[in-house]
Amino acid sequence: MLGAIIGDVVGSPYEFLNIHSKREIKPFEDTVRGKCRFTDDSVLCMAVARALIQSQGEQDDTALGDAVATKLQEYPRIYPGKRYGGGFLKWAEQGDIRAVRKAKSNGGAMRATPIGWLYSSLPETLRVAKIATERTHNSREAIESAQMIAASVFLARRVKDKEVIRGYGEQKFGYTILRGRSGYEQLREESRRYRKERLRKLELKRLVNCGAKQSVEAALFAFLNTEDYEDCIRTAIAVGGDSDTIACMAGGIAEAFYGGVPVEWKYKAGGILAEWGCRPEDLDMVMNFGRYAAPITNDDFPF
């Protein structure tokens, strides 16, 4: 899970004022665009992780959904002002854990990384990803995107084969995952075009595309077309869009695939989490999340 949170932290200064060159990205450095900090992506990953750890072995879907929803409403109160989406925050503040909100944004997928670590089979991973998403983002697009991120983490842990992950996304969910330099340039151009269109319409609060499918496809591109964790994070930010969320999702998959994150980045991230008010119990969970990882069964892939 730390890999996802590092992506959020490194991407946070670039969320609304994207740049389009990997050379210009300065991991963990404050920029004119803002300070490196953890945002709602990190907070809600922690919320989901905490709920699922405390609910290990729960087989009742409603009870598990209640546990996750309770934490999703609790954690914004613990960590206020972390750039939560307006619709999500309204849902959280109403206090009804069984209220269902329809949304097609990437908020369910951005917090799905922990799920890929906590379950022993792919079917169980998909089941829990749906449960953890459907109260706040009850649309097919959002639920499938959360399932794809959780499944990618699971598969990255098990098979260490990027083409298996690519094939799963394309066959199971119909994703279009671009390749190479041309794909990189296409994603950058789509981000620029989206921003220009929003500016033309004076929609200044929607300058980046937060759609679930688009964000997950960008995250998968960053992971599948790079060779190490650091380049994955830089690429996830450089393609534009919802930078901290894309880097959060890509970083979570990359951590699972490469077997960890760079040691220097680990301790820099821990320092930033502490500096910006992460509770000791949550910091310990994040920094030592591997102790919660479930053993993986040898079930056949359902595709």
Side-chain angles (χ1 to χ4, degrees):
M1 185 171 70
L2 178 61
I5 289 177
I6 288 175
D8 175 41
V9 169
V10 174
S12 61
Y14 307 106
E15 180 177 10
F16 299 110
L17 294 170
N18 301 121
I19 60 175
H20 298 285
S21 167
K22 289 193 284 186
R23 294 188 303 273
E24 295 179 86
I25 297 167
K26 308 295 182 184
F28 300 105
E29 292 184 16
D30 297 338
T31 74
V32 294
R33 299 169 177 84
K35 293 180 176 292
C36 280
R37 64 187 70 189
F38 68 94
T39 76
D40 59 337
D41 303 73
S42 295
V43 173
L44 299 181
C45 277
M46 290 189 285
V48 168
R50 182 69 68 189
L52 297 179
I53 290 168
Q54 293 177 350
S55 303
Q56 283 294 299
E58 178 60 69
Q59 294 301 310
D60 181 79
D61 289 5
T62 300
L64 189 57
D66 287 350
V68 172
T70 297
K71 292 300 182 186
L72 290 176
Q73 293 191 353
E74 175 186 328
Y75 267 60
R77 296 193 297 271
I78 297 171
Y79 298 105
K82 296 297 185 183
R83 300 180 184 171
Y84 303 100
F88 168 80
L89 199 57
K90 184 178 180 180
W91 173 86
E93 289 174 344
Q94 71 180 333
D96 180 1
I97 62 170
R98 293 195 174 176
V100 175
R101 169 178 171 261
K102 293 186 179 297
K104 295 182 179 180
S105 58
N106 55 28
M110 76 182 190
R111 62 188 193 231
T113 294
I115 303 167
W117 289 94
L118 294 174
Y119 297 91
S120 295
S121 71
L122 188 52
E124 186 71 353
T125 298
L126 296 174
R127 166 185 166 262
V128 175
K130 179 178 184 294
I131 293 168
T133 304
E134 59 191 357
R135 301 275 176 98
T136 64
H137 293 74
N138 198 351
S139 69
R140 178 178 176 180
E141 179 177 338
I143 290 170
E144 288 186 348
S145 294
Q147 289 178 316
M148 184 62 207
I149 293 300
S152 295
V153 172
F154 178 90
L155 293 173
R157 292 173 60 211
R158 179 178 174 185
V159 298
K160 303 298 181 184
D161 186 333
K162 291 186 177 182
E163 288 307 305
V164 169
I165 296 171
R166 179 189 297 276
Y168 185 75
E170 292 173 344
Q171 295 172 39
K172 175 72 172 179
F173 298 118
Y175 283 124
T176 300
I177 306 169
L178 302 174
R179 295 176 183 264
R181 185 71 188 184
S182 62
Y184 178 73
E185 296 295 347
Q186 181 176 329
L187 289 170
R188 291 167 62 193
E189 180 55 32
E190 288 174 357
S191 177
R192 294 192 190 101
R193 190 163 56 245
Y194 186 92
R195 178 181 293 272
K196 288 179 181 178
E197 182 64 15
R198 301 286 82 74
L199 286 170
R200 186 183 68 81
K201 295 180 178 180
L202 298 179
E203 296 177 352
L204 302 184
K205 293 184 178 180
R206 298 180 58 214
L207 294 181
V208 296
N209 189 342
C210 295
K213 182 174 184 291
Q214 294 86 348
S215 298
V216 169
E217 288 177 340
L220 291 168
F221 171 86
F223 164 65
L224 293 169
N225 289 274
T226 52
E227 298 300 324
D228 58 53
Y229 181 86
E230 292 188 29
D231 194 29
C232 173
I233 295 299
R234 292 177 184 273
T235 301
I237 296 168
V239 296
D242 192 0
S243 296
D244 58 338
T245 296
I246 293 170
C248 176
M249 296 186 292
I253 303 168
E255 177 192 21
F257 186 84
Y258 296 116
V261 301
V263 173
E264 182 181 4
W265 284 34
K266 175 180 179 178
Y267 290 107
K268 284 184 176 180
I272 288 174
L273 287 170
E275 177 187 355
W276 287 92
C278 185
R279 297 187 306 176
E281 59 265 44
D282 290 329
L283 183 58
D284 177 67
M285 177 180 67
V286 169
M287 301 298 285
N288 300 287
F289 196 69
R291 67 190 176 204
Y292 301 109
I296 296 176
T297 61
N298 291 321
D299 61 311
D300 294 331
F301 297 136
F303 68 97

